[in-house]
Amino acid sequence: MTKLKILCFMEADPEVRNFLHSGSLNLLFEKHDVELILPPKNYNRLKADVEDLKLGIPVRRVGIPERRLAIWKRLYHLNQMRFRLDPAWLGVWGSWWGVVGWKAGVLFSLANLPLIRDVIKKRLNAELRKFPCKDLDILVEEAQPDIIIHPSTFGGYFVNDFVDLGKRLSIPTFLIMNSWDNPCLKRAMSGVPDRVGVWGEQTVKHTQKFVGIPRQDIIVLGAAQFEVYRSTPRITPSEFRSEHGLSPRDIVLLYAGSSRGTQESLHLEWINRAIEEGDLPRMKVVYRPHPWGIQQDQAQTILSSCWKHVVVENSMQDFMKSCAKDGKSGAFYMAEYARTHDILSSVDMVVSPLSTMIIEGALHGKPVMCFYPKEEEGSSLWKKNVKRLPHFEEVFKSKMVITCLRYSELIESIRKLNGNLLNAEFSSQIEMFSKYFVEFSEKGYRENLNAEIENAFDELSRNMNNE
């Protein structure tokens, strides 16, 4: 195929880790003329020094006027706060009341009334035209791209102008899903890209329903960051146990933390006591904090506690000390997925709040449990509604995942989790279950992505020429 000129937009640290550090775009870089487009150096969601990665392709930084970004955000909230008589949408709608606050929620709800919504959208679109992004237009004029791609959370700095550029200038656009909740929760687009790459069957459905993309324009790519899970782990379970001072006879439970401010030190204390008192079988807990960090007081308590049956995962020790000293800095810790693969291949079962680790544990054939206690919801609308979000709701409804919603049920739920461990057929069953969320292609992610981008360009170019 003829070498394509591709502009690749990227805007945040998680995408850098998942697509650049993983090498998922390397084949695309080798076969085509790709230029990487980043936000300005002072953009707070991108701390990684991408230029220092020596990718072998041009890297350019482009800024969008702040006023323009603010207008896009208002259009996004207007769409999110639109009430729909659909159970799947109610969880999203209720959660966004928690995000924007009740005052803004009331205003956006009133703004969505018939006729008023149309007037406000026209005014906001008129404002957008007053604040054009000239730098992006200059970029496209200079580069003359054949296709524009964007690994993305479906929200953020570039996503709206990425779609807008494609529509205005008749350039094919290909949006690539970064993480689990992107289609149902994060999709901040006011327009629709030409093609969307997703993880699996669940996000095919969510992209159709919540983004409004026809099925023929949705491509199942798998997850770039999970591709390493198909390889042989770098260490054996016995080596992992040796690293953490664990006996070969111990059951190893991974507690994978959340970024949502839960009382994880309390949970670990209860589990440690239950093991000590014989309410749980002989086991050790390996605690791994979330890459977005943990509250300072929680980190201090966990590090200072002399629990007999709980250890902090080795590769996150320095990160935990940093959290204990400075608290959550807002920076994203670039945890290696290869290390996550080593850990998940070595432990016996996984407990996590509402996080992707539930799916990652299932991909490894491990018994998994979601612990999201009602006692920690407080008065937060977000925390009360988050488990009703469509991507989580399907986990809660599944018999393959143990769910625990109260403090008082924690220890009994871990006993049930251990029961799944003792079931010889469970590992293959939960691996099969995980394929609904993440589908691996035979060719591999980078080969699949390259082929689908080439196919999209061919098809979309023909369509545009025929119009």
Side-chain angles (χ1 to χ4, degrees), residues 194-195 208 213-219 459:
D194 296 306
R195 294 288 184 274
Q208 287 179 274
I213 306 290
R215 178 62 186 92
Q216 65 267 21
D217 297 335
I218 304 170
I219 291 134
E459 184 180 337

Side-chain angles (χ1 to χ4, degrees), residues 35-39 51 58-62 135 138-140 142-143 158:
E35 186 170 0
L36 186 62
I37 312 302
L38 306 175
E51 286 86 351
V59 178
R60 190 188 306 202
R61 292 184 180 263
V62 176
D135 288 350
I138 292 169
L139 164 68
V140 171
E142 289 177 359
F158 285 125

